[in-house]
Amino acid sequence: MDFNIKSGDPEKQRTACVVVGIFESRRLSEPAKAIDAVSNKYLSNLIRRGDMDGKRGQMLLLHNVPGMISDRVMLIGCGKERELDDRAYRAVIANSVRALNDTGSLEGVNYLTELTIKGRDHNWKIRQAVMTAEHTLYQFDELKSKKKEKRRPLRKITFTVPTRRELPQGESALNQGRAIGNGIKLTRRLGNLPANICTPTYLAKQAVELGKSYRSLTIDVLEEADMKKLGMGSLLSVSQGSKQPAKLITIEYKGTKKASKPIVLVGKGVTFDTGGISIKPAAAMDEMKFDMCGAASVFGTLSSVAEMKLPINVVGIIPATENMPSSTATKPGDVFTSMSGQTVEVLNTDAEGRLILCDAMTYAEKYNPEVVIDIATLTGACVIALGKHASGLLSNHNPLARDLLNAGDEAGDRAWQLPLWDEYQQQLNSPFADMANIGGREAGTITAACFLSRFAEKFNWAHLDIAGTAWLSGGKKGATGRPVPLLTQYILNQLD
Ligand code: BES
Ligand code: MN
Ligand code: ZN
């Protein structure tokens, strides 16, 4: 999709469709009032007759509106003006984009970015509008033999700002929205690809491709032999059960010459999680192709940051492997030595995410990180606790946790913090090794984070459990692209 930014009166737009908002009940937004004025009260008459009262979800498409040079005028219900919050704004933008796409208009000028949202500036509104538009129109059809070709597809959306003065700012917000939108699309694509295509080797190739698109990105791929030399016994204990070789992928973004410490993102890249010898039940096991969504979010975030050319350093580290049962697979009770030197008794081979992340986190030390944030579809318990609405957040540094919670709020991609108290650590005690890889039924999300915390002693660290947020099940099954909005917002906020 092409996006554009503009200021100017609705009656002067020579376009296929002008989109404006109507509030409940029967109140015109400012751009709608302008149309009403040039059309001899065409809109207010229509609304008085009861064709539309402005409830959210309503849409009315008008042709040949007097005084207008656009082919169409689309009225979008925005609900009560007082109640127009972040969530309502996104819903209204999504409705308008969906409707615009259905009209047969090739392009349109959308005035909904001029709505007033409490506490949000033009930057935010434009950025969110572009991201929401991309999100709404996303389709994953590359594996369908017959694609649904649209006869008259929507090609370009122009969003507006009230005056010329806001244009430069709006332009930069548009670029940000576009870059983040593209990052989200990349994340969703990698997540949606099935595990027979999206293997660790495939992810490594995709990283190399990304490196070709942006000169600011440097790619490095470690093979199993390299990992063995580094002593990554924990990561290799997971990959040893699979014919697909594991890869440790690093994507390094240098946006500033200054020797500033990087933000390091570590993404769980289990391209398929059968559970291993502690095998999972059959129901919905197909969804374990999404067990690399943490990795996919690192791809998406690095690509967004590179597209925005942000003056900051970011490193993405992706341990990628399958978790399979086989004659070479890890057996419950096996003990391995991690790169940190700490030993782990693997009581359940299905708690594999933490086993690959811990070695990747130790590896992260070599980048002298400002902070380390790991992103992982780590525990079913997190889905039970928070559902599909919030990612779980645990951290050894409260200011970092605050920053991430705020970024999630701002981006509409929220997280919720759980405690990382010492009391929980003892659940990982093992009679045979330094620790076990599971902590029993209670507080599963927290004990998983406790395990990781033992590999984060040397830096400020936060863990995002995205088991509930990374994909949707049922009729809308597919990757969501979360938490790329949160991560990119967090990185943007580090600049000012
Ligand atoms: N990838 C799963 C977590 C998961 C399960 C995410 C279901 C989304 C939906 C992870 O590797 C796993 O299997 N975790 C186990 C840990 C347990 C064995 C301690 C879990 O949550 O059951
Ligand atoms: Mn598992
Ligand atoms: Zn897993």
Side-chain angles (χ1 to χ4, degrees):
M1 185 65 50
D2 253 3
F3 295 101
N4 220 335
I5 190 122
K6 208 179 206 181
S7 73
D9 303 322
E11 69 274 18
K12 294 194 184 126
Q13 306 302 329
R14 195 171 292 285
T15 172
C17 191
V18 165
V19 182
V20 297
I22 305 293
F23 299 116
E24 206 177 337
S25 12
R26 304 182 186 178
R27 288 191 40 249
L28 305 184
S29 62
E30 289 303 319
K33 281 181 191 159
I35 297 176
D36 204 42
V38 299
S39 66
N40 194 19
K41 298 204 179 302
Y42 190 87
L43 297 193
S44 38
N45 283 332
L46 202 139
I47 281 167
R48 188 157 353 97
R49 278 201 305 265
D51 287 56
M52 183 176 194
D53 62 9
K55 278 204 183 62
R56 239 198 297 145
Q58 288 181 337
M59 189 277 286
L60 196 60
L61 186 63
L62 310 170
H63 293 85
N64 307 317
V65 175
M68 292 292 287
I69 53 175
S70 65
D71 301 338
R72 308 169 182 82
V73 170
M74 181 183 285
L75 308 182
I76 293 285
C78 298
K80 296 212 173 73
E81 190 170 9
R82 266 186 301 109
E83 294 171 7
L84 198 59
D85 57 8
D86 292 8
R87 189 161 149 251
Y89 175 73
R90 284 185 207 103
V92 163
I93 295 284
N95 291 342
S96 73
V97 169
R98 214 174 289 120
L100 198 54
N101 191 39
D102 288 342
T103 59
S105 303
L106 297 175
E107 41 82 50
V109 181
N110 194 328
Y111 281 83
L112 297 176
T113 39
E114 293 185 32
L115 293 167
T116 305
I117 316 293
K118 212 169 124 202
R120 300 303 186 194
D121 56 14
H122 293 295
N123 262 337
W124 183 90
K125 287 188 282 186
I126 303 249
R127 202 164 57 226
Q128 285 287 319
V130 175
M131 288 164 63
T132 304
E134 284 284 22
H135 204 83
T136 309
L137 300 174
Y138 173 85
Q139 285 186 36
F140 181 76
D141 60 4
E142 65 185 85
L143 302 179
K144 302 260 194 197
S145 61
K146 292 189 191 69
K147 319 244 184 286
K148 283 190 222 137
E149 293 294 348
K150 273 206 78 180
R151 203 170 45 85
R152 289 173 64 79
L154 180 63
R155 292 240 163 77
K156 183 167 111 184
I157 308 176
T158 301
F159 291 112
T160 66
V161 286
T163 67
R164 297 180 63 88
R165 214 159 26 102
E166 289 98 7
L167 275 178
Q169 283 263 337
E171 205 61 69
S172 97
L174 195 77
N175 289 336
Q176 289 178 353
R178 196 187 286 119
I180 299 168
N182 286 337
I184 293 171
K185 278 199 284 191
L186 171 59
T187 299
R188 295 177 84 177
R189 173 174 183 272
L190 292 174
N192 286 332
L193 281 172
N196 63 320
I197 295 173
C198 187
T199 58
T201 304
Y202 181 88
L203 284 178
K205 281 199 187 120
Q206 290 301 296
V208 171
E209 287 306 310
L210 196 62
K212 286 181 190 157
S213 309
Y214 298 101
R215 290 184 52 101
S216 53
L217 297 179
T218 311
I219 313 300
D220 182 49
V221 179
L222 295 190
E223 305 296 330
E224 288 185 349
D226 305 313
M227 298 181 224
K228 198 161 176 196
K229 272 188 214 138
L230 288 167
M232 297 183 164
S234 187
L235 200 172
L236 292 167
S237 80
V238 178
S239 63
Q240 72 183 38
S242 173
K243 272 201 175 149
Q244 293 290 340
K247 306 277 170 178
L248 185 72
I249 305 161
T250 306
I251 308 174
E252 203 174 343
Y253 171 76
K254 263 206 171 317
T256 165
K257 292 234 165 54
K258 276 187 263 161
S260 75
K261 295 166 137 196
I263 295 168
V264 176
L265 306 175
V266 180
K268 173 179 174 184
V270 174
T271 58
F272 198 84
D273 182 11
T274 65
I277 296 298
S278 315
I279 199 160
K280 287 182 179 295
M285 208 210 272
D286 66 291
E287 297 190 9
M288 283 299 114
K289 73 171 183 178
F290 294 117
D291 211 18
M292 37 56 72
C293 281
S297 77
V298 173
F299 271 89
T301 303
L302 267 295
S303 115
S304 304
V305 169
E307 189 176 336
M308 289 187 276
K309 300 194 175 77
L310 299 183
I312 194 165
N313 295 330
V314 185
V315 178
I317 301 178
I318 294 162
T321 177
E322 286 185 337
N323 186 24
M324 299 292 281
S326 76
S327 73
T328 59
T330 291
K331 302 163 290 296
D334 288 358
V335 175
F336 298 93
T337 304
S338 67
M339 184 179 174
S340 73
Q342 299 177 93
T343 59
V344 181
E345 183 189 13
V346 178
L347 288 178
N348 189 320
T349 62
D350 198 10
E352 84 296 344
R354 61 199 78 179
L355 295 175
I356 68 171
L357 290 168
C358 70
D359 277 344
M361 285 164 63
T362 304
Y363 185 69
E365 288 172 11
K366 83 171 200 175
Y367 291 97
N368 188 23
E370 177 68 32
V371 299
V372 175
I373 303 165
D374 82 82
I375 308 104
T377 49
L378 205 63
T379 63
C382 191
V383 195
I384 302 301
L386 300 174
K388 296 222 150 255
H389 304 295
S391 303
L393 169 67
L394 299 103
S395 176
N396 65 9
H397 188 61
N398 245 316
L400 172 60
R402 286 268 118 235
D403 288 348
L404 289 169
L405 291 171
N406 288 338
D409 241 4
E410 195 169 348
D413 179 12
R414 287 186 290 190
W416 192 259
Q417 193 174 2
L418 298 171
L420 192 67
W421 297 328
D422 279 344
E423 283 86 336
Y424 294 98
Q425 290 283 355
Q426 50 148 347
Q427 284 177 241
L428 296 171
N429 289 350
S430 158
F432 302 110
D434 296 344
M435 69 194 92
N437 78 325
I438 54 169
R441 269 172 50 76
E442 293 173 6
T445 303
I446 298 174
T447 54
C450 283
F451 181 95
L452 295 176
S453 74
R454 298 175 181 211
F455 302 84
E457 304 251 283
K458 300 205 174 123
F459 39 69
N460 294 333
W461 157 79
H463 161 63
L464 284 165
D465 193 330
I466 58 166
T469 51
W471 75 90
L472 299 176
S473 312
K476 287 187 179 166
K477 192 190 283 182
T480 60
R482 292 178 71 179
V484 173
L486 181 158
L487 292 169
T488 47
Q489 189 65 52
Y490 167 76
I491 294 171
L492 282 171
N493 292 351
Q494 301 315 299
L495 300 172
D496 32 69

